[in-house]
Amino acid sequence: MGLGMAWLVLDRLGLTENGVCIINDVSLKVGAGRTAILGPNGAGKSTLLRLMHGLLRPSEGAQHWPAPLTQGMVFQRPVMLRTTALANVEYGLKLRGIKPPERRQRAMAALERVGLPAMAERPARRLSGGEQQRVALARAWALEPQVLFLDEPTASLDPASSREVERIIREIAASGTRIVMTTHNLGQARRIAEEVLFIDCGRVVEQSPVEEFFTRPRHAAAQCFLEEEIP
Amino acid sequence: MTRLRTLLAACCTTALLLATGAAAQARFITVASTTSTEQSGLFGHLLPVFTKASGIKVRVVALGTGQALDMARRGDADVVFVHDQAAEEKFVADGHGVSRQGVMYNDFVLIGPRSDPARTAGKDILESLRRIETMKAPFVSRGDKSGTHAAELRYWKAAGVDLDGKKGPWYRDTGSGMGPALNTAASMNAYLLADRGSWLAFRNRGALGIVVAGDTRLFNQYGVILVNPARHPHVKQADGQKFIDWLLSAAGQKIIADYKIDGEQLFFPSASRLTH
Amino acid sequence: MGEITTSLMLAGELVASGDARLASIVTLSLQVSLSATLLACLIGMPLGALLAVGRFPGRHTLIVLFNGLMGLPPVVVGLLVYLLLSRAGPLGQFGLLFTPAAMIIAQTILIVPIVAALARQSVEDAWREYREQLRSLGASRLRAAMTLLWDGRFSLTTSGLAGFGRAIAEVGAVMIVGGNIDGVTRVMTTTIALETSKGDLPLALALGLILIAVVLAVNTAAFMLRQWAEQRWG
């Protein structure tokens, strides 16, 4: 999938909280199938992601979906309900009004895709961090969203779990779901994304194809960021 | 989640049913009475005999006389069994009760420290009260509009002591039942007026003892009244009347006379009409 | 000190002898207060969850109100229920006064604010953690409130227990609406009050010790259940 038609348009988007400007005048079009949002800590990566997903309401500007798309989100720390892994995956489907036999089937299929069918009946909170994140991915995936937002999905995981989560994200993308993720792991961005949004102090200062961003960053802040991150 | 909710609802209903079911099955009447009859143990002695003879259970709510009459006035009792003749007669005159029958009497006693600092001992209650007021000896009053409280106020008035003018720190208006008032008096070593039944059944006497008894003015009349069914249609008229008739019968009067604590008779039958 | 020792021994004897009257009084106490707790949880917990999650005018007023009502005087509740259930009152026709049902109603009213206020606190904390995930999955606020209640069911036992503790220990409300009728509405606390007023202080204290033991037993059972559940579900 190349840089296709824009499916999300941000128009002078801004967010001010308690007088502090967190996102400032962001205008851009997202058309890529796999987008990574990069930037230093505190630059506003997660906030931008939440604005896109609609968890936060912008204080200025607007976002525009040329065609309405179903969305899902996976967070840095998976929120697991105190029930089985399977019931956690089913929960999202239940909210969509999907009835038990189909619900169970789809949830089970999602667990299989993330490699956890054996854990279906285990209490979700008793699973390891990596397994919990995979259950969260299954929960999002079971809903077959057209866009999946991921906020630092591997930040709290060990390398092996991170690799597994990355594999799942690539599979979700391969199934046709658009991916927008924040990460501070540049290797991961490079492995997964087609396009990079670089954000600095609440402004998106660069939007480039991934190879171009890593080889020839245009903005000074991005150059500086890459030099610091890759010594 | 649905399962749990159903379970909770089921538990709840069961609990409520159990609780109310137990209350609903037996044939019973509700009697508003005084702490003195309940706490002296008379009812524990009397009621099982009546229930055995009639099949009617008696539920006693023991309050001060004023409160008991008020409860009956609201229609929450079938029968009133209290001891304040003037208030009882007014209750009937106001149409809340059918008629008042005297059942029995006991007597009030003046309780005080056995050392009797106010030197009240004797047989004249009015003289003793005057001495207490003169000496400003600590005195505990029920202050709860009970029959005993009403009697106490009558004695002060008859003794010529104007409480409103002379009430000082020596006079403790406790606003409590007979038992709590006795506990207070025991801990303060104060005088107080009590009915003999409650006194005999009371365990925490401390240094207190009877200082005045036997004055005929100390007689304490108990009356029984059927709550007026014309005013409160749900009153269990037949069963309530059965209880009253039994109390006034030779059998009932004998049971009352038989009740003793430490060999001492507490209540003296006084039914004027001895039927059956 | 002598009196307390006497009471301890008396309490031991009462329990050891398997006194039938004592057993029925303890049973009624548990029946009334557990029923009231159950009802209060059914009413108070959803209410607390909605207060935690909801956004509606008057929410803050309600929160303050419930917090304040945690200190409701039992006598006032008793009086209120008495006036409602009295034959002369609006619900008099049901003849509930001086029955265990009346006591359950009074205790339920007494502890609903406790359960609701504590549940609100607990759900609000969970809401902070779950909010984005639940909203992302498309849960309405009502739905989120129910989910948080279910998910917090083990920690919510604390609010239920607080309500139960208050219910089983209060005497003012049950005395007025129950009437302390021997064998019908006499519970632990009204018995203690009665024995105190009869001046039998050792017996009253012995009954008090038994009451404390019963409350401790219920709390221990709840604690163990919670421990087990937390081990199992995390």
Side-chain angles (χ1 to χ4, degrees), chain A residues 49-209:
Chain A
L49 200 69
R50 280 166 170 73
L51 280 167
M52 289 176 167
H53 185 37
L55 288 177
L56 293 174
R57 199 183 290 262
S59 38
E60 293 104 39
Q63 55 171 327
H64 175 61
W65 296 82
L69 301 176
T70 57
Q71 309 169 33
M73 182 156 172
V74 170
F75 298 84
Q76 179 177 349
R77 280 172 205 285
V79 176
M80 291 287 116
L81 301 174
R82 286 178 180 84
T83 175
T84 60
L86 182 64
N88 264 281
V89 179
E90 279 192 60
Y91 180 74
L93 294 161
K94 199 157 114 189
L95 292 179
R96 298 283 153 94
I98 291 159
K99 295 283 169 255
E102 188 197 341
R103 189 160 85 204
R104 208 177 172 77
Q105 222 178 331
R106 279 173 69 174
M108 206 55 215
L111 276 180
E112 271 160 25
R113 275 180 291 182
V114 300
L116 291 174
M119 303 291 182
E121 294 303 328
R122 294 269 293 275
R125 291 210 169 206
R126 291 269 145 226
L127 300 177
S128 73
E131 287 164 341
Q132 291 193 25
Q133 191 60 296
R134 281 149 70 189
V135 173
L137 283 161
R139 180 164 59 195
W141 200 359
L143 297 170
E144 291 163 8
Q146 291 165 298
V147 186
L148 181 62
F149 296 100
L150 300 115
D151 186 17
E152 304 270 7
T154 61
S156 1
L157 303 183
D158 60 63
S161 302
S162 297
R163 273 198 300 281
E164 183 60 16
V165 165
E166 264 185 44
R167 177 194 68 75
I168 295 166
I169 295 171
R170 276 202 298 268
E171 253 182 64
I172 295 175
S175 72
T177 299
R178 296 161 183 80
I179 301 284
V180 181
M181 67 188 290
T182 64
T183 180
H184 63 258
N185 180 336
L186 297 181
Q188 184 173 69
R190 220 165 167 168
R191 285 189 294 275
I192 292 179
E194 298 168 274
E195 187 177 75
V196 170
L197 297 180
F198 183 79
I199 183 166
D200 187 44
C201 294
R203 286 173 186 275
V204 174
V205 294
E206 179 160 351
Q207 180 178 23
S208 328

Side-chain angles (χ1 to χ4, degrees), chain B residues 112-119 189 191 207-209 211:
Chain B
R114 281 192 292 270
S115 59
D116 195 17
R119 280 175 291 117
N189 236 2
Y191 290 89
L208 300 184
V211 288

